[in-house]
Amino acid sequence: MDVTQICRKAHNAQYELGAMSADKKNEVLRAVARSIVASKDEIKVANKVDIDAAEASGMTRAMVDRLLLTDERIALMAEGVEQVATLPDPVGEVCDCWDLDNGLHIDKVRAPLGVVAVIYESRPNVTADVFALCFKSGNCVVLRGGKEAINSNRALYKIIADTLAEHGANSDVIGFIDDTSREGSAMLLKQGDTVDVVIPRGGDGLKKFVLANAVMPVIASAGGVCHIYVEKSADIAKCIDVIDNAKMQRPSTCNALEQLLVHVDVADKTLTMVADRLKGRCRLVGCKRSCEILRAKGYEIAEASEDDFTKEHLDYELTVRVVDGTAEAIDIVNANNTKHSDAIMSEDKQAIEQFTAKVDAGCVYVNASTRFTDGFQFGFGAEIGISTQKLHARGPLGLRQLTSEKYVVRGDYTSRK
């Protein structure tokens, strides 16, 4: 089936799904969650093909980890689908209502976007997360994953589509594009007659490609150049745990720490403790002042290039920079981030207020790891991506962010005068 046919089938199925009851959607989602767990061996077989190919291609350890599906990760994937089933259904929710003097009653209600296309890279759990959120919010979805995870994605798609059919739902509400080439993506991006919105979920290159080629609206969801700024009043010992978590827990994710900024007054202590904690685990690159501090103490650190200060490493590598104050830190963050997630570590209320008010990002943290930028962590059940733009949604894209609004106007055979 070609891209045009897949999108047309999803377009035709959207009206049936949009009218499906919340109980029915929840029934299907719970069945999909059970099917994922029951099919874990099948999923792991397909995933091993992807992992073997990735390792043979020389993919980095961190990027291979993005592809890997273990029993625990498959269980978490199913749990995410199950959690979406427990969330309130946004479709049909009355956001506002009022009466007019002419006798009309107006309800502003939530409505599905229609058909959502998602182009994503590497992580196969996205297949299940995106389906669950789109299905619950009444949207059909067309999926186009990356070549690195094609076998895992295909296995998950088949499990979902088969479960839909088994439970009396139209399996056309989910479409899957096998063509992982740029040409396949370009063809999808031309389906403006049948696809209402496209969401890129991957690196900056993918975002730019989608924005340049899409004929339908785009919700940009791309990579994360995430910063942590250690302000001079911070509890440094506690900061080290947060930095370790933000950088090392899963360095290949878009919410992992990439850029560490440290106030000059606490730079010696902070950088020494960071180097001690990350020694042998993570490569450090830094500004001239960072290099002078750490090399004087015998630590290994490479001098950063200009590119390193704007780089999404997605690996066991961290850029460090010494700054003279909060104002400079804010300027650096706003100049180099991707509007994703940035954090301040501080006990100074004025510095915190300055940072949270002025940093331009979807998520701004105070004394917490950037790794929390995640729909599951935010209580959304799952997320379709992290929007790094300002219209029509920003930050984690959950159920509500996958709906629009429409007006239902009731009269008594009322005509306009």
Side-chain angles (χ1 to χ4, degrees):
M1 192 184 303
D2 66 19
V3 172
T4 301
Q5 289 177 303
I6 292 169
C7 294
R8 175 59 61 186
K9 284 179 174 290
H11 176 80
N12 292 340
Q14 68 176 303
Y15 307 110
E16 178 183 345
L17 177 57
M20 186 178 289
S21 71
D23 287 344
K24 180 62 177 179
K25 286 187 286 187
N26 294 338
E27 172 196 322
V28 172
L29 286 170
R30 292 189 173 101
V32 167
R34 292 193 299 271
S35 294
I36 288 172
V37 173
S39 305
K40 66 178 182 180
D41 292 339
E42 175 187 337
I43 294 168
K44 287 192 295 183
V45 168
N47 182 242
K48 187 175 186 306
V49 177
D50 292 329
I51 295 295
D52 290 346
E55 291 176 340
S57 72
M59 186 180 286
T60 66
R61 178 164 58 100
M63 293 302 288
V64 170
D65 181 67
R66 291 185 82 164
L67 290 175
L68 181 63
L69 291 177
T70 61
D71 285 351
E72 180 182 5
R73 290 183 182 179
I74 292 170
L76 284 173
M77 190 191 313
E79 184 183 343
V81 175
E82 177 73 30
Q83 188 173 358
V84 171
T86 68
L87 297 173
D89 190 339
V91 179
E93 175 190 340
V94 178
C95 307
D96 199 359
C97 65
W98 61 95
D99 294 308
L100 300 180
D101 291 341
N102 59 13
L104 293 178
H105 176 83
I106 300 177
D107 288 328
K108 182 167 73 172
V109 301
R110 293 196 180 277
L113 297 174
V115 178
V116 178
V118 182
I119 301 176
Y120 55 106
E121 298 172 344
S122 300
R123 296 173 63 190
N125 64 290
V126 174
T127 301
D129 290 349
V130 166
F131 162 74
L133 284 165
C134 285
F135 187 78
K136 182 65 179 272
S137 57
N139 295 294
C140 295
V141 64
V142 177
L143 301 169
R144 187 279 190 190
K147 65 180 183 297
E148 300 85 359
I150 183 61
N151 295 286
S152 307
N153 290 336
R154 189 187 293 118
L156 286 165
Y157 159 72
K158 186 176 185 304
I159 290 164
I160 293 168
D162 287 349
T163 305
L164 284 165
E166 289 167 7
H167 287 262
N170 188 344
S171 59
D172 289 339
V173 301
I174 181 172
F176 183 78
I177 296 173
D178 258 312
D179 184 351
T180 60
S181 68
R182 274 292 168 95
E183 291 75 20
S185 292
M187 177 64 72
L188 175 57
L189 296 174
K190 301 305 177 189
Q191 305 302 312
D193 290 342
T194 52
V195 175
D196 294 284
V197 63
V198 61
I199 301 174
R201 180 164 168 163
D204 197 51
L206 173 62
K207 180 177 77 170
K208 289 177 179 176
F209 175 80
V210 171
L211 287 169
N213 290 276
V215 299
M216 69 285 287
V218 177
I219 301 177
S221 174
V225 178
C226 302
H227 296 71
I228 286 180
Y229 166 50
V230 180
E231 193 267 334
K232 64 181 179 181
S233 69
D235 185 321
I236 306 303
K238 292 180 179 179
C239 288
I240 303 307
D241 289 336
V242 175
I243 291 165
D244 190 331
N245 175 263
K247 177 70 252 184
M248 302 300 292
Q249 187 191 47
R250 288 196 72 184
S252 62
T253 59
C254 62
N255 55 20
L257 171 64
E258 305 291 14
Q259 307 286 326
L260 177 64
L261 310 179
V262 182
H263 192 286
V264 63
D265 289 359
V266 293
D268 189 289
K269 180 179 180 180
T270 304
L271 291 177
T272 301
M273 293 177 72
V274 168
D276 272 337
R277 177 68 71 91
L278 300 184
K279 186 176 181 180
R281 302 165 61 214
C282 180
R283 177 175 181 262
L284 298 180
V285 298
C287 67
K288 184 177 180 180
R289 287 193 286 183
S290 300
C291 290
E292 288 173 353
I293 290 169
L294 289 178
R295 287 172 181 169
K297 296 174 178 289
Y299 293 102
E300 289 187 12
I301 181 172
E303 190 160 342
S305 68
E306 280 303 311
D307 289 342
D308 285 321
F309 294 116
T310 60
K311 188 175 182 181
E312 185 182 19
H313 298 292
L314 296 174
D315 205 344
Y316 296 97
E317 185 169 345
L318 177 65
T319 302
V320 296
R321 181 187 291 197
V322 177
V323 298
D324 292 323
T326 300
E328 183 186 2
I330 291 168
D331 288 344
I332 288 171
V333 170
N334 285 336
N336 299 310
N337 72 356
T338 50
K339 319 302 181 191
H340 192 295
S341 302
D342 300 292
I344 181 172
M345 305 291 121
S346 176
E347 297 297 322
D348 185 324
K349 290 183 179 180
Q350 185 175 352
I352 290 169
E353 289 176 5
Q354 187 180 2
F355 191 90
T356 56
K358 293 185 176 180
V359 165
D360 185 11
C363 299
V364 182
Y365 290 89
V366 178
N367 297 329
S369 169
T370 58
R371 284 283 290 124
F372 285 105
T373 303
D374 176 277
F376 193 80
Q377 294 292 324
F378 275 31
F380 296 168
E383 103 226 343
I384 203 166
I386 309 296
S387 173
T388 52
Q389 65 182 40
K390 299 180 182 179
L391 295 175
H392 77 131
R394 198 172 194 197
L397 298 171
L399 287 175
R400 287 177 176 268
Q401 291 76 26
L402 289 174
T403 60
S404 183
E405 296 168 349
K406 68 180 180 182
Y407 296 88
V408 178
V409 184
R410 294 179 172 85
D412 185 15
Y413 301 94
T414 307
S415 297
R416 180 173 178 174
K417 295 179 181 179

